[in-house]
Amino acid sequence: MINIPRGTQDILPKDTYKWQFIENKLHELMKLYNYKEIRTPIFESTELFSRGVGDSTDVVQKEMYTFKDKGDRSITLRPEGTAGVVRSFIENKMQGDPNQPVKLYYNGPMFRYERKQKGRYRQFVQFGVEAIGSENPAIDVEIISMLVHIYKSFGLKDLKLVINSIGDAESRAEYTKALQTHFEPVIDTFCNDCQNRLYTNPMRILDCKVDRDKEAVKNAPKITDYLNDYSKQYFEEVKTLLDELGIEYEIDTNLVRGLDYYTHTAFEVMSNAEGFGAITTLCGGGRYNGLLELLDGPKETGIGFALSIERLLLALEAEGIEIEQEESIDLFIATMGDQAEKYSISLINKLRHSGISCDKDYLGRKLKGQMKQADRLNAVHTIVLGDDELQKEQVEVKNMKTGENTTVSFKELEQYLKEKS
Ligand code: HAM
């Protein structure tokens, strides 16, 4: 037997309705905020991620599914959505679109070679949002408030919004120096990754899974003390606007995010729900002011976030929120005898073409078995076709909820069901 690859999952028909419910709701919510869907390829040139996400990040160093295609090009299955969306923005010259900022969203599979854990998969579905073309605290707040709105609209309550500013390039350069000075004397006691990070990306030491609880991490210099005036002012405005909207948040100066492109506003939403698992982050995002230029694009800036549907489902489960299954069919056609069976094939075809959802037996079940099947399919109506019905050209339509029977002629059946469904 060939098994499913580690870290992936089949979403079976008994569960797909939950995904469809979530995805439909997200599409609806995006209309409220005037964001339009974009679909980019699942694989991209490896360079897009090594440059965009950053060579020193765990994602690029350890987690990418990279391979050579038959034309000897290095290709990578996308580990995240932002780089591809920004590439598309640049390639399609979206800065020329009169509607600025360009507001985009996406929903699709991403791939990271990570250690499998509850809430962590090697293929997962990210729903993400990007607003590109405006450097204005109001758009940062639109994105954050949208995120909170999304989770609340699914009924989640046990949430914590954490924000930070990682400043602009100038602030970060100062801060990086301060971190190097701080960690250098004790770096020998840190993990190998952190020893490398000291020179490539010292901010990442702050959220290292291995060394996170070390004293030197807890009393490390804080980015907020190194923000220049512009960065400080920007962060203040974001906080003021969040306060005005009544959105509660915590500031965590160690929230640095795992990808290199972030500047200024960074945020995550965590689930506090018991039983959610060791990974508490539901989603993350932030502003990326240098990314477009880094990818040879115009001097535009963006902000966005991504959440995985898998973790959203886990949070719903942890808070005991169920998604109702509303699936049913309008009609189940049961048959008795060869003639009726034959007739049911053309009848079902005709009814489906007129928009009535229906099904029938294909296993030669006895009448009792067919009625059980109708129950399992949650049929609203059933009919039983036999010789008598064929002769009279009429049938009893049973409403499965009320148990009521109505005699309907073959000619009127289509119209009757349309009115009732
Ligand atoms: P990220 O923090 O790497 O950011 O991932 C965002 C979200 O994707 C996570 O919070 C989590 O919900 C989900 N996620 C990531 N890895 C996994 C996994 N292995 N299994 C299940 N879910 C996972 C980004 O990807 C950025 N592109 C977000 C962004 C958009 N920033 C600006 N715009």
Side-chain angles (χ1 to χ4, degrees):
M1 189 176 71
I2 299 169
N3 293 322
I4 192 168
R6 206 175 159 72
T8 66
Q9 55 175 351
D10 294 317
I11 297 154
L12 301 175
K14 69 177 177 52
D15 292 319
T16 37
Y17 78 94
K18 297 180 193 163
W19 288 73
Q20 288 167 352
F21 172 83
I22 288 175
E23 287 167 352
N24 289 341
K25 202 172 184 101
L26 289 169
H27 288 300
E28 287 304 314
L29 281 165
M30 288 306 100
K31 284 189 201 150
L32 298 180
Y33 288 82
N34 189 33
Y35 283 64
K36 303 272 192 282
E37 188 181 3
I38 181 167
R39 300 186 186 197
T40 62
I42 280 173
F43 60 85
E44 299 268 2
S45 296
T46 302
E47 194 190 348
L48 176 68
F49 303 112
S50 57
R51 244 210 276 172
V53 173
D55 267 331
S56 68
T57 58
D58 282 355
V59 169
V60 171
Q61 279 190 355
K62 301 181 189 165
E63 296 167 7
M64 295 207 302
Y65 282 89
T66 298
F67 57 95
K68 283 274 174 75
D69 72 4
K70 294 202 183 340
D72 209 30
R73 300 170 197 91
S74 182
I75 296 290
T76 292
L77 299 186
R78 59 183 187 191
E80 60 98 57
T82 311
V85 168
V86 166
R87 179 207 42 73
S88 178
F89 179 99
I90 297 167
E91 209 163 339
N92 292 291
K93 301 190 173 53
M94 291 189 210
Q95 69 274 22
D97 187 327
N99 289 323
Q100 297 289 330
V102 176
K103 295 175 166 191
L104 305 165
Y105 74 94
Y106 49 91
N107 183 50
M110 308 288 160
F111 306 84
R112 295 185 192 179
Y113 190 81
E114 290 197 85
R115 204 164 50 78
K116 191 185 168 306
Q117 205 178 327
K118 190 172 180 192
R120 192 193 278 150
Y121 304 89
R122 292 183 176 167
Q123 174 175 334
F124 54 98
V125 175
Q126 259 191 357
F127 169 83
V129 163
E130 314 290 347
I132 308 176
S134 165
E135 186 171 348
N136 179 340
I139 195 85
D140 298 36
V141 170
E142 172 169 298
I143 290 277
I144 295 173
S145 62
M146 174 205 285
L147 182 54
V148 174
H149 187 174
I150 288 175
Y151 285 123
K152 289 214 165 133
S153 71
F154 287 105
L156 290 173
K157 292 196 178 75
D158 251 345
L159 303 173
K160 183 169 81 172
L161 168 67
V162 181
I163 63 167
N164 190 23
S165 169
I166 33 191
D168 57 11
E170 187 187 84
S171 312
R172 271 171 79 158
E174 282 303 303
Y175 183 52
T176 300
K177 268 192 248 158
L179 286 178
Q180 280 167 340
T181 312
H182 173 80
F183 284 117
E184 224 156 21
V186 288
I187 200 68
D188 288 351
T189 62
F190 279 61
C191 71
N192 281 344
D193 281 345
C194 279
Q195 297 190 9
N196 292 329
R197 285 175 184 137
L198 182 66
Y199 299 102
T200 55
N201 197 349
M203 271 168 58
R204 298 285 301 142
I205 298 176
L206 299 175
D207 70 348
C208 170
K209 289 165 199 120
V210 183
D211 294 315
R212 198 172 8 210
D213 294 328
K214 287 214 161 78
E215 213 40 47
V217 172
K218 287 185 188 152
N219 62 28
K222 294 193 184 332
I223 177 73
T224 34
D225 294 329
Y226 289 82
L227 296 179
N228 58 16
D229 287 346
Y230 176 73
S231 303
K232 224 181 260 170
Q233 176 71 16
Y234 199 94
F235 194 36
E236 283 308 312
E237 283 179 37
V238 169
K239 287 187 287 181
T240 308
L241 287 171
L242 286 175
D243 292 338
E244 279 171 16
L245 293 184
I247 294 175
E248 285 175 25
Y249 57 85
E250 275 177 26
I251 297 172
D252 178 355
T253 51
N254 279 4
L255 177 77
V256 291
R257 307 275 302 124
L259 316 171
D260 268 0
Y261 47 64
Y262 290 113
T263 56
H264 295 287
T265 319
F267 52 90
E268 285 185 355
V269 172
M270 322 284 190
S271 169
N272 286 333
E274 232 174 87
F276 182 67
I279 302 175
T280 56
T281 308
L282 279 178
C283 78
R287 172 160 282 283
Y288 42 89
N289 281 2
L291 181 59
L292 277 90
E293 281 177 278
L294 188 71
L295 296 175
D296 308 319
K299 209 174 156 21
E300 299 289 352
T301 67
I303 177 161
F305 67 78
L307 61 90
S308 69
I309 311 276
E310 287 84 352
R311 287 193 195 169
L312 171 55
L313 280 164
L314 281 176
L316 291 171
E317 203 181 297
E319 290 202 26
I321 299 167
E322 276 189 27
I323 299 172
E324 296 282 321
Q325 183 161 24
E326 284 166 4
E327 277 170 17
S328 65
I329 53 169
D330 298 328
L331 176 71
F332 187 86
I333 305 175
T335 60
M336 286 193 306
D338 291 348
Q339 286 294 89
E341 161 64 18
K342 222 181 217 164
Y343 179 72
S344 71
I345 297 172
S346 56
L347 176 64
I348 206 167
N349 187 47
K350 196 173 91 185
L351 292 176
R352 284 172 176 162
H353 279 266
S354 62
I356 293 157
S357 59
C358 36
D359 211 346
K360 67 182 283 301
D361 165 65
Y362 290 99
L363 296 179
R365 290 184 182 95
K366 301 237 163 57
L367 186 60
K368 202 170 157 200
Q370 295 186 52
M371 295 319 277
K372 273 194 187 157
Q373 175 75 349
D375 265 345
R376 278 196 296 270
L377 295 177
N378 210 7
V380 180
H381 300 99
T382 52
I383 57 172
V384 180
L385 282 178
D387 292 344
D388 201 32
E389 283 74 17
L390 291 189
Q391 204 189 353
K392 290 188 183 147
E393 298 199 353
Q394 65 180 36
V395 72
E396 296 280 296
V397 180
K398 179 170 184 177
N399 181 318
M400 296 296 276
K401 268 206 194 108
T402 60
E404 193 187 332
N405 282 312
T406 313
T407 309
V408 184
S409 72
F410 282 4
K411 266 197 208 122
E412 285 163 358
L413 185 60
E414 190 179 315
Q415 194 53 35
Y416 177 84
L417 290 168
K418 266 193 182 163
E419 279 164 20
K420 296 282 175 186
S421 52

